Amino acid sequence: MSTADKMMSQMADKGGFIAALDQSGGSTPGALKQYGIAESEYSDESQMFALMHDMRVRIITAPSFTGDKVIGAILFERTMDGDVNGEPVPAYLWRERGVVPFVKIDKGLEAEADGVQLMKPMPDLDALLARAAKLGVYGTKERSTIRLPSESGIRAIVRQQFAVAEQVRKHGLVPILEPEVLIKSPDKAACEQLLHDYVLEELQKLPEDARIMLKVTIPEIADLYDDIARDPRMVRVVALSGGYPLDQACEKLRHNHRMIASFSRALIGDLRHQMDDAQFDVALGEVIGEIYDASVHKA
């Protein structure tokens, strides 16, 4: 079986969850602060991203971070281009940890219009995708957000997500579409129903051999996305934590039977820079176990 086939099999069928380690420029200071590194401890963006890279390397080299429970990891572009022990991060993840590598490709969000935030233009996307494919990356992730149940706004979000996904697929990569419904939306359930309907509509237009993934906020109506998850073109439907505390995110996830986690904030929330390596691995292992359990064992 080829490496690509092994990765596809793992993402489609193996129990576990995807670690989202893709905090970018806007969210990095907050992530570092939560980790125990104040903004006063770095003077520029370069130092900030170096500290973030160190944190991510510490996570992916920890003994508890393996493909037994963490089946995939979403990387920030700079992390993808970095090294672990002299080996490119994507290669290290797969060869040494058994974890399938993804890369975040969006460049942030436009200002809100029509109740949503579309992705900013990505003029260098083809070059990024070519580089990712060469590094052995399996797939990508692209995020936009939805706040209001606007039919035209949500349809625009879905169409943009599928258009970018088509560009990704042409490079032989598997895209994760991430149209995030904000948990503070004044009508989250209505947003999610519209999103479901438009995603299903676009999904059914794809050729039968297309393979994509979907990352969504854990829905108000349990199992809302089950029919989408059953479509043979859908490798997996995964859930973002969206700002829910870890225990609440896991409890909500348990009620969605064809959905696994792809958590970011909920994954790293208990980790601290000041921990020694043993303490760090114990804390990480406990969180990994909790997220794995919610992804595999359902209510």
Side-chain angles (χ1 to χ4, degrees), residues 106 108-109 119 141-145 161 178-180 182:
D106 67 83
L109 303 173
M119 293 179 284
K141 191 208 78 166
E142 56 195 60
R143 174 179 176 263
S144 44
T145 66
Q161 285 277 344
E178 186 184 11
E180 176 183 353
L182 300 174

Side-chain angles (χ1 to χ4, degrees), residues 21-22 29 83 90 102 106 123 153 166 190 265 270:
L21 305 175
D22 59 326
D83 292 340
F102 294 79
D106 67 83
E166 186 63 22
R265 280 167 285 185
D270 292 336

Side-chain angles (χ1 to χ4, degrees), residues 199-230:
V199 167
L200 186 60
E201 181 182 305
E202 294 298 323
L203 179 63
Q204 291 172 342
K205 295 176 185 177
L206 293 179
E208 291 185 2
D209 64 347
R211 296 293 180 269
I212 67 170
M213 296 175 64
L214 179 67
K215 180 170 177 174
V216 289
T217 313
I218 306 171
E220 295 301 297
I221 298 174
D223 290 335
L224 175 66
Y225 299 102
D226 265 20
D227 53 347
I228 289 173
R230 289 191 189 98

Side-chain angles (χ1 to χ4, degrees), residues 3-286:
T3 297
D5 287 341
K6 288 177 182 177
M7 288 185 178
M8 180 66 78
S9 176
Q10 178 156 313
M11 293 318 305
D13 301 319
K14 189 172 182 179
F17 71 95
I18 299 172
L21 305 175
D22 59 326
Q23 297 88 356
S24 55
S27 56
T28 299
L32 285 174
K33 184 178 180 181
Q34 184 180 44
Y35 183 49
I37 298 177
E39 290 189 47
S40 60
E41 295 183 54
Y42 51 89
S43 59
D44 57 28
E45 189 178 81
S46 178
Q47 289 182 353
M48 177 184 76
F49 282 123
L51 289 166
M52 198 69 199
H53 182 73
D54 290 345
M55 172 186 156
R56 289 164 176 149
V57 168
R58 196 178 189 194
I59 291 170
I60 66 178
T61 57
S64 58
F65 192 91
T66 74
D68 290 340
K69 294 180 178 178
V70 184
I71 60 173
I74 304 170
L75 306 173
F76 181 48
E77 183 180 345
R78 289 187 184 216
T79 310
M80 178 192 77
D81 290 330
D83 292 340
V84 180
N85 301 331
E87 186 172 12
V89 171
Y92 177 87
L93 276 171
W94 179 244
R95 292 176 193 165
E96 303 297 331
R97 315 306 285 170
V99 175
V100 175
F102 294 79
V103 64
K104 165 185 153 56
I105 58 172
D106 67 83
K107 300 300 180 185
L109 303 173
E110 300 279 17
E112 182 179 317
D114 203 7
V116 304
Q117 287 183 277
L118 292 163
M119 293 179 284
K120 290 181 177 178
M122 294 172 258
D124 300 322
L125 180 57
D126 282 317
L128 170 58
L129 295 172
R131 197 165 77 251
K134 190 173 181 180
L135 286 167
V137 169
Y138 167 83
T140 64
K141 191 208 78 166
E142 56 195 60
R143 174 179 176 263
S144 44
T145 66
I146 298 166
R147 190 176 66 85
L148 298 176
S150 160
E151 292 184 14
S152 55
I154 295 175
R155 188 177 287 280
I157 284 278
V158 171
R159 285 177 172 167
Q160 185 190 42
Q161 285 277 344
F162 273 86
V164 173
E166 186 63 22
Q167 192 173 351
V168 171
R169 290 200 312 111
K170 287 178 179 177
H171 287 264
L173 302 173
V174 176
I176 301 176
L177 290 66
E178 186 184 11
E180 176 183 353
V181 175
L182 300 174
I183 65 172
K184 294 182 178 179
S185 165
D187 200 342
K188 182 169 175 282
C191 291
E192 288 166 344
Q193 187 62 57
L194 287 170
L195 177 63
H196 165 276
D197 294 349
Y198 296 151
V199 167
L200 186 60
E201 181 182 305
E202 294 298 323
L203 179 63
Q204 291 172 342
K205 295 176 185 177
L206 293 179
E208 291 185 2
D209 64 347
R211 296 293 180 269
I212 67 170
M213 296 175 64
L214 179 67
K215 180 170 177 174
V216 289
T217 313
I218 306 171
E220 295 301 297
I221 298 174
D223 290 335
L224 175 66
Y225 299 102
D226 265 20
D227 53 347
I228 289 173
R230 289 191 189 98
D231 190 290
R233 289 160 288 208
M234 186 60 63
V235 178
R236 212 77 174 247
V237 175
V238 304
L240 57 96
S241 51
Y244 290 124
L246 177 62
D247 57 349
Q248 188 177 357
C250 287
E251 176 58 28
K252 289 173 74 70
L253 180 62
R254 288 182 193 278
H255 296 277
N256 288 272
H257 293 81
R258 292 179 178 269
M259 185 180 285
I260 65 171
S262 176
F263 291 173
S264 174
R265 280 167 285 185
L267 172 66
I268 65 174
D270 292 336
L271 304 179
R272 297 294 179 268
H273 174 65
Q274 294 79 7
M275 292 174 171
D276 64 32
D277 288 345
Q279 292 171 325
F280 185 90
D281 188 55
V282 167
L284 179 61
E286 287 176 353

